Each structure stands twice: as C-alpha cells, then as structure tokens.
Amino acid sequence: MSEPQLIAPQFTGELPVGLPPWTYRSAELLEIEYERLILPSWQFVCHVNQLKSPGDFVTLDMRRDSVIVMRGADGELRAFANFCRHRGTRLLDGSGTCRNRIICPYHGWSYGLDGKMVAAPSAETFPGLDKKNLGLKPVEMEILLGLVFVRVIGGGPSLKEIWGDAAKVLEPFGIEDFMPEGEPKIDIWNSNWKVAIDNNLENYHVPMGHPGYHRLLDLHDNDGFMNHHGVAGSMATIKQRLSPNWSEQRYQKLAPHALSDLPEDLRKTWCFAVMPPNIGIDIYPDSMDIFQILPHGAETCLVRYAVMARPGVSREQKVLRYLNWRINRQVTSE
C-alpha cells in the first residue's frame, strides 16, 4: 500500500493553543462558518451505486441549502440546486426516482432529468419566458472512488487535488464497488459542530472514550498521515490478542478468513480518514461509513451517517457486517 506524503509536526517551543470557548457557542460565528467553510467545501451526497438508472436521485440538505444529484436519461450524473426557478419551491425530498421530469409541487413547472426547463402551465401568461435560461441551477460535482461529492460555492481545488496521494490509501479496499445499506441516518447532537470534529481528529481519547476499540485495534496517532490540504487519517490493525467482548472477539476470529478476495493485510486493517472541514470516512474489510458533521445551531450539530457494504452475500460476510454494526453502534453511543 503506497504511503501518502506526510507532514511532520514542527515544534517551535510553544504548545499549540485551541480556539477560545466563545467560538463554540456563538450563533454569529456559526453563520460565518457555514458561508465560508461549509458551502465552499466538498460535501458527500451518496455512492454512485445508489444512482444506477435514469431518473434516480439523492438530495443533500445542509442548513438552508439543498442539492439534488440525479442520473440523466443519457446516463450522466448531474447536480442541481433543489429549488424551482419560479418561486424557489423545494422540488425533491430524500431519494427516489423521477420517471421523465422533475415537477414542482407548487405551480407545476417541470424540468428534464438534465435540469433543463421543459414546460410551465399557462406559459403564455409569462411574457418573455425564456426556457433556455431557466433551467435548474447547476452545482459543482465530483466523484472519488465511487463517492459523489458536491460543492455549493464553486472554485478552489478539485477533489482529486485535495486528496492527492492520500487517495492511494483508500484504493486497495475497492470502495467503488460498495453498495449503500439503506438511507443515511440523521441525528442531532448536543454540541457545536467543531466539538464533534475535534473529537474525530485524534485517537488520544480512544483508550478512555472507546474501550471496545482499545481492546480490538492497535490504533496510534503516530501511525497516521496528513497532506497539505489537511486530508488526514490513520491505519489500525486488528489485535491478535482476543478481546473478552463477544462481538469484538468474533470479529477478530472471522475477519482474516471471511474475505479471501482481499489481500491478507487488508482483512485485518481498519482505515480512518478525515477530509476538512467536516467529513469522516471509515473503511473496514467488510464495509465502510461516511459521516458529515454539519452546523445546525450554536450548540447543536446535524450528523449524517451513511453505511456502505462490500458486495457479497455469503453467510460469513453477513455475520462480519453484523458484528461491525454492533461494535460501531457502541462507539457512536459513546
């Protein structure tokens, strides 16, 4: 597995200082963070395997913005702002399939699967109506190893540039072939979004905060990587010493044998990665999850948690995913 470029920490003789406490409680600062950090950054929407047929769509909601990603009749994926060009009405919710058109539920304006405006009821009552200029607003979209991302405020480095060599850490897992496991779970946590991100950026808290991970994995911050765009992560190896916990012990015993198509080292490897400012990607031998920590209120955040599984329906693979779910459900609770 190719190692990404590392940034060695530079110690200047002074300890680094965190943000002042008021920044974790300020509604005014939250608005600035949303406009200047979230909207100009790449945000995860779905896996391409959730959008297999023309008209298949997924929506992403972020505070007051919403985006549609849809597969067109020509097979291409496109992203649009999720509002009608007439009166700004929300067009679609959740995920699903549009047969031929996207139809506004308010006045019935309709758009093709490519976002172009098709028709408006009583169009003759709109003098000068120009359908060519009233298509849905496009949103930047890129795909990384089957993962679909959008960026509401365009410009800046591409997703490929941001990940650079760090993407090589993910490639051996074959995540472009993974399949979504149901709809993303949405939770509201009672913390400022930065608190949740701060927690995810280090493994120092694992022995105290996640004893199950501590029993199961060799996980150390000094084994991690980070590139110049802040994409960071660490690789953890399943311990040989068996955990006394039933779920963890069964996973330790089964993982090295259940996925014989994977290289032997990957069968025992868990990869934890972070993409600034708010995306976490966890890849396991059997599955993966992606979670987004989105600003919600000054002291609350919205957590969007999506799970995807390696294709395969053998009994061992199903058991491995079930054990993983039990282990990580406990970690999420903690």
Side-chain angles (χ1 to χ4, degrees):
M1 192 181 300
S2 176
E3 290 293 332
Q5 182 180 4
L6 299 178
I7 297 177
Q10 301 295 319
F11 182 62
T12 62
E14 296 183 4
L15 290 175
V17 178
L19 295 171
W22 70 265
T23 63
Y24 292 87
R25 296 179 178 272
S26 170
E28 292 81 3
L29 180 61
L30 188 79
E31 293 298 323
I32 297 173
E33 291 170 338
Y34 179 70
E35 293 289 339
R36 299 187 184 181
L37 292 178
I38 302 300
L39 294 184
S41 64
W42 291 107
Q43 295 296 322
F44 173 73
V45 181
C46 64
H47 196 288
V48 292
N49 286 334
Q50 194 170 348
L51 304 170
K52 290 188 171 183
S53 303
D56 287 353
F57 70 88
V58 174
T59 61
L60 170 66
D61 296 325
M62 300 182 297
R63 204 163 165 79
R64 54 180 171 271
D65 293 272
S66 183
V67 177
I68 303 166
V69 173
M70 175 175 285
R71 191 171 294 279
D74 58 359
E76 293 295 318
L77 287 183
R78 298 178 178 86
F80 315 106
N82 189 13
F83 66 87
C84 179
R85 294 298 305 279
H86 178 212
R87 296 290 295 275
T89 301
R90 182 185 179 91
L91 294 169
L92 297 172
D93 291 303
S95 62
T97 302
C98 288
R99 291 189 176 182
N100 299 305
R101 298 182 180 183
I102 304 169
I103 300 176
C104 177
Y106 193 8
H107 294 108
W109 283 36
S110 61
Y111 306 87
L113 303 184
D114 58 1
K116 294 178 181 178
M117 185 181 177
V118 176
S122 304
E124 69 279 1
T125 65
F126 294 88
L129 182 70
D130 185 358
K131 295 179 184 177
K132 293 182 180 179
N133 292 322
L134 288 174
L136 299 181
K137 290 286 188 181
V139 173
E140 276 192 344
M141 183 195 74
E142 286 192 30
I143 299 172
L144 175 75
L145 300 176
L147 307 176
V148 181
F149 291 81
V150 297
R151 182 163 57 184
V152 174
I153 296 179
S158 68
L159 198 60
K160 184 178 180 180
E161 289 176 281
I162 289 173
W163 276 84
D165 286 344
K168 295 178 181 178
V169 175
L170 311 185
E171 288 174 358
F173 290 91
I175 61 177
E176 61 271 19
D177 296 323
F178 281 26
M179 298 297 296
E181 290 275 286
E183 295 296 320
K185 182 180 179 182
I186 305 295
D187 281 335
I188 303 296
W189 287 2
N190 292 320
S191 76
N192 181 277
W193 73 284
K194 296 188 296 299
V195 173
I197 294 298
D198 289 346
N199 174 77
N200 190 54
L201 286 174
E202 46 89 353
N203 300 326
Y204 187 48
H205 71 284
V206 168
M208 296 296 292
H210 305 305
Y213 268 6
H214 190 51
R215 292 188 296 264
L216 179 67
L217 302 169
D218 282 319
L219 181 60
H220 307 286
D221 276 333
N222 56 3
D223 295 331
F225 61 89
M226 183 172 69
N227 69 16
H228 288 281
H229 288 284
V231 172
S234 57
M235 311 297 286
T237 303
I238 297 173
K239 290 180 177 179
Q240 291 186 343
R241 181 179 179 180
L242 294 179
S243 167
N245 176 275
W246 181 85
S247 298
E248 296 155 13
Q249 185 180 120
R250 291 297 299 162
Y251 194 96
Q252 287 172 298
K253 290 180 177 180
L254 185 59
H257 311 291
L259 299 168
S260 57
D261 59 318
L262 282 176
E264 187 174 354
D265 61 332
L266 287 187
R267 301 177 210 169
K268 305 175 184 179
T269 300
W270 286 21
C271 174
F272 300 93
V274 176
M275 184 177 77
N278 66 321
I279 305 288
I281 301 178
D282 305 326
I283 308 177
Y284 320 103
D286 56 282
S287 60
M288 67 177 294
D289 59 61
I290 298 185
F291 58 93
Q292 288 160 282
I293 311 295
L294 291 162
H296 184 261
E299 298 183 53
T300 59
C301 60
L302 184 147
V303 182
R304 184 174 182 262
Y305 184 79
V307 177
M308 285 143 275
R310 180 176 300 281
V313 294
S314 72
R315 180 179 180 275
E316 285 187 328
Q317 288 172 309
K318 290 180 179 179
V319 170
L320 203 62
R321 291 198 290 265
Y322 170 73
L323 294 170
N324 185 312
W325 174 78
R326 283 178 61 101
I327 293 166
N328 277 298
R329 182 182 64 172
Q330 178 63 30
V331 171
T332 302
S333 175
E334 290 161 352

